[in-house]
Amino acid sequence: MLELAGIIILGILAQWVAWKFKIPAILPLILIGLFVGPFSTMLSTDGNKWIEPVWNGQMGLFPGESLFNFVSLSIALILFEGGLTLKKEEIKSVGPVIYKLITLGSLMTMITAGIAAHYIIGLNWPLSFLFSSLIIVTGPTVITPILRNLPLKKDISTILKWEGILIDPIGALVAVLVYEFISLGGDHGTEYTKETLIEFGKIIIIGFSIGFTSAYAFATALKQRWIPHYLLNVVSLALVLSVFVLADLFAHESGLLAVVIMGMVLGNMNLPGLKDVFYFKETISILLISILFILLSANINLSDLELIFNWNSLILFACVVLIVRPIGVFLSSRNSSLSRNEKIFISWVGPRGIVAAGIASLFGLKLTMQGVENANYITPLVFMIVLGTVLLNATTARIVAKITGVLLKKSEGILIVGASDPSRLIASYLKTNDRRVVLIDSNRNNIALAKKEGLEAIECDIYEDEIFENIELNDIGFLLALTGSPTINEYALNKLKPSFGEEGAYRLISGDEMRDPDNNPEEGLFSQTDDFINISEVVRDYPIINEVKIKSKDHYLQIMEATMKEIKTIPVFVKDINNDIHIIPADYNKLKVEEDYRLMYIGKKLLIDA
């Protein structure tokens, strides 16, 4: 009981440490597992591990095949959650570089890493390609913490983010298929007959058919509301486990394939309650990952680590980082707009993640139990690649970004909280003037309208923390809170300013502040006399942004006074001689303006323009 409670406590502690210090969770999880497992034998008086998942075959936390069964079911749930994240429209909408990275890049990684493992480590060809298929995946759980605080160009952040998200389930699927093929190759994983190939085909057919059938059956149950909302999450949990076991009964080892397919199919359906299922599965996955990686790391013996404690393993690691990854990136980005330095940076950042380590442990256990020669190399080799790449990228990503010159000198992007009519009008103008603008709103209709107008918009709730995980917003430096609620505007500034408002953070003034212009807040936006209601009415009547040339500072103040008197006019920006746009604060006197600057305002055309 003490060991089991200790694993859960240590796992959640590792997750908290990862959140607090902004590092991938897999790093403290594996290190804690190694410490309480193999490394603890050097500290304990009796030479035993502090936590022993399996001891002497039939003892420990998981005696006999219990650990194998627990890992199998856990990986099934994790892969199902990963499958839910894969959207076909996202694959269609991503740029050609990302599409090539998850197709051509994955293929090149599998081929080149397989060749390297065969000739450097001496694994047979099937095991070499199993190893290479396992290190295809990067994963958002390791990419995001590494890049979260790096102000990179949006193109680079987008490529790394979507590669991690899309390649997770695809890489898992490839690894499952390669494993199924190897597991049918006899005692040594190399003897293939007509019967084994037929068995492999059976696994594919059963996995796909049960996965698709189960997904559509669950979708029908959701649409017909046969499952009450309070049972939705536990029913989905039971269903995933049932599909895994059922598929395995029809065709041994087809369970993982079935749950991945079921997740992918469900993830591409617009179903009521599916978002709740996803959040529940995400929570379950965090708990399982916390337990799983401490268990799997603790289950490794010092003799397993000694297998890879040699120069050959180091050479293989160097090949993966310096040859395999760059080949995939450079081939995938041929004829793209990426510069050579940007390709070098993307090549450098390729940390392997949780899916790779989890499946490697499962397949390593299974193949070792089947008596496949050298299968005991798989888990420690993949763990070496995972730990090595995560540590390397976490410590050097910023240095390499500076050397290659991909760090932005100044974050010029603008984040607008609220996607109502005024926000969309302002965002459209800024976009036409070559400024990156992102709108966020919890209102689905506002987001849909923004996207229809060609604007970048994200549906999210600012009371949640998901926005901080979006590494595509690393180039955001200005924050504008333009919602109809003064409370939300104030909350948005307090919460988001440290991450997205380093160059400036502003909000619309409230009705009370508008009635007392002498005490307007420092972060007030646009005007001392206009709140959300005023700006909405002006945009409704005059949905246009006008420009007027500024002749001097006095002329600028004269124009601003005119906008104060005209209730259907609201000043918003000043454009300097370099065409850089500056946001007008409520205390407009503080803004530096010179001759030939231009002032932009929403609404009725001023007579002073003439």
Side-chain angles (χ1 to χ4, degrees):
M1 184 183 290
L2 181 62
E3 284 183 327
L4 187 57
I7 289 171
I8 296 171
I9 293 165
L10 287 172
I12 301 305
L13 178 64
Q15 292 280 1
W16 182 84
V17 167
W19 167 80
K20 183 68 178 174
F21 295 100
K22 297 180 173 59
I23 57 174
I26 196 170
L27 195 56
L29 284 170
I30 292 180
L31 291 176
I32 287 173
L34 290 173
F35 179 71
V36 298
F39 294 158
S40 67
T41 59
M42 296 183 288
L43 302 173
S44 62
T45 52
D46 56 1
N48 291 329
K49 295 178 184 177
W50 290 342
I51 290 180
E52 179 63 275
V54 181
W55 181 55
N56 202 23
Q58 295 300 321
M59 300 182 70
L61 282 174
F62 295 91
E65 294 189 7
S66 301
L67 178 63
F68 162 77
N69 295 331
F70 174 74
V71 172
S72 297
L73 293 173
S74 299
I75 294 295
L77 287 165
I78 292 167
L79 291 187
F80 173 73
E81 191 256 330
L84 283 174
T85 64
L86 185 64
K87 313 286 185 185
K88 62 183 179 183
E89 66 267 15
E90 288 173 353
I91 296 180
K92 289 177 183 175
S93 64
V94 297
V97 174
I98 304 172
Y99 184 76
K100 286 178 185 175
L101 267 176
I102 62 176
T103 51
L104 177 62
S106 297
L107 179 63
M108 292 310 300
T109 297
M110 189 168 170
I111 293 170
T112 50
I115 293 170
H118 177 72
Y119 286 106
I120 296 171
I121 303 297
L123 299 178
N124 60 39
W125 284 113
L127 281 179
S128 296
F129 285 117
L130 176 61
F131 164 77
S132 63
S133 68
L134 287 165
I135 63 167
I136 285 174
V137 294
T138 53
T141 53
V142 286
I143 285 284
T144 302
I146 289 171
L147 299 184
R148 186 183 285 135
N149 297 314
L150 290 183
L152 300 169
K153 289 181 181 176
K154 180 179 179 283
D155 288 350
I156 298 173
S157 298
T158 302
I159 287 169
L160 290 169
K161 172 193 169 183
W162 285 107
E163 180 199 11
I165 290 173
L166 298 177
I167 213 168
D168 226 5
I170 291 171
L173 184 57
V174 171
V176 168
L177 292 174
V178 173
Y179 163 74
E180 310 293 11
F181 195 67
I182 291 172
S183 65
L184 295 170
D187 291 339
H188 300 288
T190 55
E191 300 165 11
Y192 297 99
T193 63
K194 182 181 176 181
E195 286 73 21
T196 59
L197 295 178
I198 290 171
E199 191 65 26
F200 178 67
K202 183 181 171 184
I203 287 170
I204 302 297
I205 293 167
I206 293 294
F208 271 84
S209 57
I210 290 183
F212 269 100
T213 307
S214 305
Y216 279 99
F218 187 53
T220 303
L222 288 178
K223 287 175 183 175
Q224 298 298 325
R225 304 195 182 279
W226 291 339
I227 306 169
H229 189 269
Y230 79 97
L231 285 179
L232 186 58
N233 290 331
V234 289
V235 168
S236 66
L237 175 64
L239 179 65
V240 174
L241 298 178
S242 302
V243 167
F244 176 78
V245 173
L246 181 66
D248 253 23
L249 287 175
F250 279 100
H252 189 54
E253 304 298 356
S254 63
L256 286 178
L257 179 59
V259 296
V260 172
I261 296 301
M262 185 173 86
M264 288 180 176
V265 174
L266 283 172
N268 285 282
M269 294 180 175
N270 187 17
L271 296 171
L274 193 62
K275 200 169 184 180
D276 292 335
V277 171
F278 174 74
Y279 285 137
F280 174 69
K281 286 291 187 294
E282 196 174 32
T283 305
I284 289 289
S285 291
I286 289 171
L287 180 61
L288 287 175
I289 285 165
S290 302
I291 297 170
L292 200 58
F293 282 102
I294 290 180
L295 272 177
L296 294 174
S297 306
N299 195 49
I300 294 174
N301 296 315
L302 282 177
S303 57
D304 296 326
L305 297 176
E306 286 167 6
L307 288 174
I308 61 166
F309 196 70
N310 52 54
W311 286 107
N312 287 348
S313 299
L314 192 60
I315 293 167
L316 178 63
F317 178 78
C319 279
V320 170
V321 173
L322 302 175
I323 299 173
V324 173
R325 172 73 175 169
I327 286 175
V329 171
F330 273 79
L331 282 177
S332 302
S333 57
R334 283 181 65 197
N335 303 321
S336 71
S337 59
L338 292 173
S339 68
R340 187 183 64 179
N341 279 0
E342 288 170 342
K343 292 175 186 177
I344 290 170
F345 179 75
I346 294 169
S347 299
W348 184 255
V349 180
R352 271 55 183 181
I354 282 167
V355 170
I359 302 179
S361 300
L362 175 61
F363 292 169
L365 275 172
K366 284 186 174 184
L367 293 174
T368 302
M369 288 169 65
Q370 291 174 19
V372 175
E373 187 181 356
N374 289 332
N376 55 334
Y377 274 87
I378 292 297
T379 301
L381 275 178
V382 174
F383 269 52
M384 175 195 70
I385 298 294
V386 169
L387 270 178
T389 52
V390 170
L391 275 170
L392 185 68
N393 290 156
T395 52
T396 62
R398 181 173 289 274
I399 297 166
V400 174
K402 283 181 180 177
I403 292 170
T404 52
V406 299
L407 278 182
L408 292 172
K409 293 176 182 174
K410 189 179 179 184
S411 301
E412 290 284 358
I414 299 172
L415 180 68
I416 298 179
V417 182
S420 59
D421 292 345
S423 300
R424 297 199 303 276
L425 177 67
I426 290 166
S428 296
Y429 180 85
L430 289 167
K431 185 186 172 188
T432 351
N433 283 270
D434 300 322
R435 286 293 285 273
R436 188 194 172 202
V437 191
V438 180
L439 296 161
I440 61 170
D441 202 319
S442 57
N443 186 309
R444 189 169 291 179
N445 292 332
N446 283 347
I447 294 297
L449 287 170
K451 288 182 176 177
K452 193 176 178 182
E453 293 172 21
L455 297 170
E456 193 176 344
I458 301 169
E459 183 186 344
C460 81
D461 187 342
I462 64 161
Y463 292 102
E464 303 289 339
D465 291 334
E466 59 187 292
I467 191 169
F468 295 109
E469 303 300 318
N470 193 334
I471 59 173
E472 288 184 88
L473 301 179
N474 285 3
D475 62 341
I476 298 293
F478 291 90
L479 175 66
L480 307 182
L482 305 182
T483 76
S485 165
T487 307
I488 291 177
N489 289 340
E490 211 164 325
Y491 178 83
L493 246 63
N494 292 333
K495 181 176 182 177
L496 304 180
K497 184 178 178 179
S499 299
F500 304 113
E502 60 185 72
E503 302 295 335
Y506 307 95
R507 64 173 174 83
L508 288 174
I509 59 173
S510 66
D512 292 337
E513 290 165 341
M514 183 180 70
R515 286 184 281 276
D516 187 11
D518 293 333
N519 291 313
N520 269 186
E522 207 172 295
E523 67 273 12
L525 186 60
F526 300 151
S527 158
Q528 296 176 329
T529 55
D530 295 292
D531 62 358
F532 180 79
I533 295 173
N534 287 12
I535 195 170
S536 297
E537 289 175 353
V538 171
V539 168
R540 181 195 63 200
D541 297 338
Y542 299 93
I544 188 170
I545 293 184
N546 303 294
E547 292 191 14
V548 55
K549 192 174 181 181
I550 297 171
K551 298 172 186 175
S552 64
K553 179 68 182 253
D554 288 339
H555 185 226
Y556 160 73
L557 295 175
Q558 186 184 352
I559 299 169
M560 290 300 295
E561 285 172 16
T563 62
M564 299 298 127
K565 292 174 184 174
E566 175 53 68
I567 60 170
K568 292 295 183 182
T569 301
I570 299 171
V572 282
F573 307 116
V574 165
K575 188 191 292 183
D576 63 26
I577 52 176
N578 298 316
N579 286 328
D580 289 334
I581 288 177
H582 306 275
I583 297 161
I584 298 177
D587 189 359
Y588 57 84
N589 286 298
K590 292 182 178 179
L591 190 66
K592 181 188 173 184
V593 293
E594 296 176 7
E595 188 180 354
D596 292 331
Y597 278 28
R598 303 187 74 83
L599 184 140
M600 276 67 72
Y601 61 91
I602 301 171
K604 187 177 177 183
K605 202 168 180 64
L606 292 170
L607 294 176
I608 202 166
D609 284 4

Short mmCIF file of all heavy atoms in Angstrom, two decimals, residues 30 99-100 173 186 234 265 278 290 309-311 398 423 469 511 578:
data_model
loop_
_atom_site.label_atom_id
_atom_site.label_comp_id
_atom_site.label_asym_id
_atom_site.label_seq_id
_atom_site.Cartn_x
_atom_site.Cartn_y
_atom_site.Cartn_z
N ILE A 30 10.46 10.37 -15.27
CA ILE A 30 11.43 9.31 -15.54
C ILE A 30 12.59 9.36 -14.54
O ILE A 30 13.04 8.33 -14.04
CB ILE A 30 11.95 9.39 -16.99
CG1 ILE A 30 10.83 9.04 -17.96
CG2 ILE A 30 13.13 8.45 -17.21
CD1 ILE A 30 11.22 9.10 -19.42
N TYR A 99 2.65 19.20 -43.37
CA TYR A 99 2.13 17.98 -43.99
C TYR A 99 3.27 17.04 -44.40
O TYR A 99 3.22 15.83 -44.18
CB TYR A 99 1.27 18.34 -45.20
CG TYR A 99 0.61 17.16 -45.85
CD1 TYR A 99 -0.51 16.56 -45.25
CD2 TYR A 99 1.08 16.62 -47.04
CE1 TYR A 99 -1.12 15.46 -45.82
CE2 TYR A 99 0.48 15.52 -47.62
CZ TYR A 99 -0.63 14.95 -47.00
OH TYR A 99 -1.23 13.86 -47.57
N LYS A 100 4.32 17.63 -44.97
CA LYS A 100 5.47 16.81 -45.40
C LYS A 100 6.24 16.27 -44.19
O LYS A 100 6.78 15.17 -44.23
CB LYS A 100 6.41 17.64 -46.28
CG LYS A 100 5.87 17.90 -47.68
CD LYS A 100 6.82 18.77 -48.47
CE LYS A 100 6.24 19.13 -49.83
NZ LYS A 100 7.11 20.07 -50.56
N LEU A 173 0.23 5.03 -34.37
CA LEU A 173 -0.37 4.05 -35.28
C LEU A 173 0.70 3.28 -36.05
O LEU A 173 0.65 2.05 -36.17
CB LEU A 173 -1.31 4.78 -36.25
CG LEU A 173 -2.11 3.93 -37.23
CD1 LEU A 173 -2.96 2.91 -36.49
CD2 LEU A 173 -2.97 4.80 -38.12
N GLY A 186 7.65 -15.11 -35.41
CA GLY A 186 8.27 -16.25 -34.73
C GLY A 186 8.99 -15.85 -33.47
O GLY A 186 8.92 -14.71 -33.00
N VAL A 234 -17.67 8.00 -17.55
CA VAL A 234 -17.35 6.63 -17.13
C VAL A 234 -17.75 5.62 -18.19
O VAL A 234 -17.10 4.59 -18.36
CB VAL A 234 -17.99 6.29 -15.76
CG1 VAL A 234 -17.31 7.03 -14.66
CG2 VAL A 234 -19.49 6.56 -15.76
N VAL A 265 -11.67 8.57 -35.29
CA VAL A 265 -13.00 8.70 -35.91
C VAL A 265 -13.88 9.62 -35.06
O VAL A 265 -14.53 10.54 -35.58
CB VAL A 265 -13.65 7.32 -36.10
CG1 VAL A 265 -15.09 7.47 -36.60
CG2 VAL A 265 -12.84 6.47 -37.08
N PHE A 278 -13.35 14.44 -23.84
CA PHE A 278 -11.94 14.74 -24.09
C PHE A 278 -11.25 15.26 -22.83
O PHE A 278 -10.15 14.82 -22.49
CB PHE A 278 -11.81 15.77 -25.22
CG PHE A 278 -10.39 16.22 -25.44
CD1 PHE A 278 -9.47 15.39 -26.06
CD2 PHE A 278 -9.97 17.47 -25.01
CE1 PHE A 278 -8.17 15.79 -26.25
CE2 PHE A 278 -8.66 17.88 -25.19
CZ PHE A 278 -7.77 17.04 -25.83
N SER A 290 1.43 9.82 -14.96
CA SER A 290 2.17 10.04 -13.71
C SER A 290 2.55 8.72 -13.05
O SER A 290 3.66 8.55 -12.56
CB SER A 290 1.33 10.88 -12.74
OG SER A 290 0.99 12.11 -13.32
N PHE A 309 25.07 1.70 -21.84
CA PHE A 309 26.12 2.55 -21.26
C PHE A 309 27.42 2.32 -22.03
O PHE A 309 28.37 1.73 -21.52
CB PHE A 309 26.29 2.25 -19.78
CG PHE A 309 27.06 3.31 -19.04
CD1 PHE A 309 26.50 4.56 -18.81
CD2 PHE A 309 28.34 3.06 -18.56
CE1 PHE A 309 27.21 5.54 -18.13
CE2 PHE A 309 29.05 4.04 -17.88
CZ PHE A 309 28.49 5.28 -17.67
N ASN A 310 27.45 2.76 -23.28
CA ASN A 310 28.63 2.56 -24.13
C ASN A 310 28.66 3.62 -25.22
O ASN A 310 27.71 4.38 -25.40
CB ASN A 310 28.62 1.14 -24.73
CG ASN A 310 27.31 0.83 -25.44
OD1 ASN A 310 26.88 1.57 -26.32
ND2 ASN A 310 26.67 -0.27 -25.05
N TRP A 311 29.76 3.65 -25.96
CA TRP A 311 29.95 4.66 -27.01
C TRP A 311 28.96 4.49 -28.16
O TRP A 311 28.57 5.45 -28.81
CB TRP A 311 31.38 4.63 -27.53
CG TRP A 311 32.36 5.21 -26.57
CD1 TRP A 311 33.27 4.55 -25.81
CD2 TRP A 311 32.51 6.60 -26.24
NE1 TRP A 311 33.98 5.42 -25.01
CE2 TRP A 311 33.53 6.70 -25.26
CE3 TRP A 311 31.87 7.77 -26.66
CZ2 TRP A 311 33.93 7.91 -24.71
CZ3 TRP A 311 32.25 8.99 -26.12
CH2 TRP A 311 33.28 9.04 -25.16
N ARG A 398 16.99 28.09 -26.48
CA ARG A 398 17.15 29.55 -26.55
C ARG A 398 18.51 29.93 -27.13
O ARG A 398 18.61 30.85 -27.94
CB ARG A 398 16.98 30.17 -25.15
CG ARG A 398 17.10 31.69 -25.13
CD ARG A 398 16.75 32.25 -23.77
NE ARG A 398 15.34 32.16 -23.48
CZ ARG A 398 14.45 33.09 -23.86
NH1 ARG A 398 14.83 34.15 -24.53
NH2 ARG A 398 13.18 32.94 -23.54
N SER A 423 -14.10 44.86 -32.33
CA SER A 423 -12.83 44.11 -32.32
C SER A 423 -12.47 43.65 -33.72
O SER A 423 -11.32 43.74 -34.14
CB SER A 423 -12.93 42.90 -31.39
OG SER A 423 -13.20 43.30 -30.07
N GLU A 469 -0.74 27.66 -23.14
CA GLU A 469 -0.09 26.50 -23.76
C GLU A 469 0.10 26.69 -25.26
O GLU A 469 0.74 25.87 -25.91
CB GLU A 469 -0.92 25.23 -23.51
CG GLU A 469 -1.19 24.93 -22.05
CD GLU A 469 0.10 24.72 -21.26
OE1 GLU A 469 1.00 24.05 -21.78
OE2 GLU A 469 0.20 25.26 -20.14
N GLY A 511 -18.19 52.39 -17.84
CA GLY A 511 -19.14 53.50 -17.85
C GLY A 511 -18.86 54.48 -16.72
O GLY A 511 -18.93 55.70 -16.91
N ASN A 578 7.30 55.41 -40.65
CA ASN A 578 7.76 54.07 -41.05
C ASN A 578 6.60 53.10 -41.20
O ASN A 578 6.80 51.89 -41.34
CB ASN A 578 8.75 53.51 -40.03
CG ASN A 578 10.00 54.37 -39.92
OD1 ASN A 578 10.55 54.79 -40.94
ND2 ASN A 578 10.43 54.63 -38.70
#
